[in-house]
Amino acid sequence: MDIVGLRSFVVLAEDLHFGRAAGRLGIAQPHLSRRIRDLEKDLGAVLFERTQRRVALTRAGTALLARARRLLDDLRRAGDETRAIAEGKSGRLRIGFIHSATYGTLPELLRLFSRDHPQVGLDLAEMTMAEQAAALAAGDIDVGILRPVAGVDGLCFETIRREHFLLAVPEDMTLSARPRVSLRDLVTTPMIGFPRLTSPLFHARITGALDRAGVTPVIVQEATQIHTVVGLVSAGLGVALVPEVAARLGVKGVRFLVVSDGPEPVEVCIGTRRGETSPAVLAFARAGAQLGGGPAGESPPAPA
C-alpha cells in the first residue's frame, strides 16, 4: 500500500466512476484501474464491485475509506507543519532578554515578530548579558536581546537600537531645574555608578566620558541593574548616568536631563550563534532590524 494508491482509491470512492476519477487524477483510465488492482492485491481484499453499469464500494472498501482519508489528511498536515517550521512560521523560539528591554524594545519586537509569525511559540527568559552569552553558546536559547558582549567566540551581535545616556537626578536637587548639563557640572556631585565587573559596558562608556571631561567622579554607591540605580537616585543618594530607557521606568522623584558631552550611546542587540540558519531565528533578527533605533550621533532625546 502506498500514498499514490490510497489517493487514487479515495478519489474513485468519491466519484464511483473510473473515467471521472481518472480525469481528476490526471491519468489514463487503464492506469487508474491498474492502481486499484495493485492496492487490492496488497491488501488482499476487493474494494469495489464493478459491473457494466456501476461501481460500488464493498464493505472492505467502505471500512478503508474513512481510514484512508484520515491517513491522507495526517500526511497533508505533516507536510504543512514541516514546511511551516522550515520557513520559520511554526515551532518554538527560546529568547533571552535583559531586564531593561522590557521597557520598550522587547514588547515592540515581540509584537512585530508575532504579527507575521503567529504560529511560532515563544519561550522567554530574563537573563543577564553574561548568562545570555553562555546560554547561546550552549544552545540553551536560540536568540538573545542584550548588549554586545566582548570576547565571546561563535556569537554574532546585530544592533537594533542605540540609546543615549541621560543624567538621572533627584527632582528636589537644584541641578534638576536645568534642561541640559555637561559632565563638568558633576565635579563634586555624589554619583551612583555601574560596577566594572558586572556592568563592564556601562562602566567603560561612563568612565571614558568622565575622563575626557577631566572629571573624577565621587562614587558613593554602585549597582548593576538600571532600575536599581534609578531607585537609588530617587532615594537621594546621588545622580547617575543611565541609558535613556531608564526614563521609561516611571520611578517617582527622578528627572532625566540631557547631557551635552555625555558618554557614547550603548547598543541593544540581537544575539545569535555565528552561522545561524534557523528560519525562525533569522525572521526574529529581521523583525529587530525593523525597530529603527536611531543611530549614534543623532541628537539626544528630550528629558522625561
Side-chain angles (χ1 to χ4, degrees):
M1 182 169 21
D2 59 28
I3 296 171
V4 173
L6 278 180
R7 187 172 290 113
S8 300
F9 162 74
V10 169
V11 171
L12 180 57
E14 291 171 349
D15 285 351
L16 295 177
H17 189 285
F18 274 87
R20 288 195 298 269
R24 283 178 59 188
L25 292 166
I27 60 176
Q29 184 172 326
H31 194 177
L32 174 58
S33 298
R34 187 162 55 251
R35 286 184 184 179
I36 298 302
R37 285 197 303 269
D38 289 345
L39 181 61
E40 289 176 326
K41 181 179 178 181
D42 289 341
L43 293 172
V46 176
L47 302 175
F48 295 96
E49 294 177 353
R50 307 163 177 85
T51 68
Q52 290 281 350
R53 297 183 177 180
R54 64 191 290 268
V55 176
L57 281 167
T58 64
R59 291 182 62 187
T62 300
L64 176 63
L65 180 58
R67 285 188 175 273
R69 282 173 169 161
R70 286 198 297 271
L71 284 169
L72 292 174
D73 187 58
D74 283 345
L75 286 170
R76 178 189 58 76
R77 285 189 282 114
D80 290 345
E81 291 170 4
T82 301
R83 282 189 294 274
I85 291 173
E87 295 169 1
K89 296 179 180 178
S90 186
R92 301 202 67 80
L93 198 60
R94 300 166 299 171
I95 303 169
F97 63 93
I98 52 176
H99 179 85
S100 61
T102 60
Y103 298 101
T105 300
L106 178 64
E108 292 171 25
L109 183 49
L110 295 183
R111 188 160 48 245
L112 277 173
F113 179 76
S114 297
R115 181 191 64 193
D116 297 327
H117 300 80
Q119 301 304 314
V120 177
L122 303 177
D123 299 325
L124 303 173
E126 182 180 336
M127 299 178 173
T128 65
M129 293 189 295
E131 288 170 342
Q132 285 190 60
L136 278 169
D140 294 330
I141 60 174
D142 303 306
V143 62
I145 304 173
L146 68 170
R147 304 189 192 277
V149 180
V152 182
D153 294 331
L155 301 185
C156 294
F157 300 96
E158 187 72 25
T159 299
I160 59 174
R161 180 160 283 171
R162 288 183 172 89
E163 298 175 348
H164 293 271
F165 278 87
L166 300 175
L167 183 69
V169 301
E171 65 179 6
D172 59 357
M173 189 177 191
T174 303
L175 198 62
S176 70
R178 301 175 58 175
R180 180 182 293 264
V181 295
S182 73
L183 295 179
R184 291 292 300 170
D185 297 321
L186 308 180
V187 172
T188 60
T189 304
M191 295 188 66
I192 299 155
F194 291 92
R196 181 176 59 83
L197 291 179
T198 55
S199 298
L201 178 63
F202 289 174
H203 181 86
R205 296 285 168 91
I206 292 169
T207 55
L210 290 169
D211 286 345
R212 288 191 296 273
V215 176
T216 301
V218 181
I219 303 296
V220 296
Q221 186 61 263
E222 289 185 329
T224 299
Q225 298 292 345
I226 294 173
H227 58 280
T228 304
V229 170
V230 177
L232 295 175
V233 172
S234 175
L237 272 67
V239 303
L241 289 161
V242 292
E244 63 191 77
V245 69
R248 297 189 179 190
L249 298 180
V251 178
K252 294 182 179 179
V254 180
R255 281 183 54 80
F256 296 89
L257 311 180
V258 172
V259 185
S260 58
D261 54 350
E264 295 178 20
V266 287
E267 300 84 5
V268 180
C269 300
I270 294 289
T272 59
R273 286 178 287 277
R274 191 178 303 280
E276 180 63 70
T277 59
S278 162
V281 172
L282 298 179
F284 194 83
R286 287 194 297 272
Q290 296 178 45
L291 288 184
E298 288 186 355
S299 298

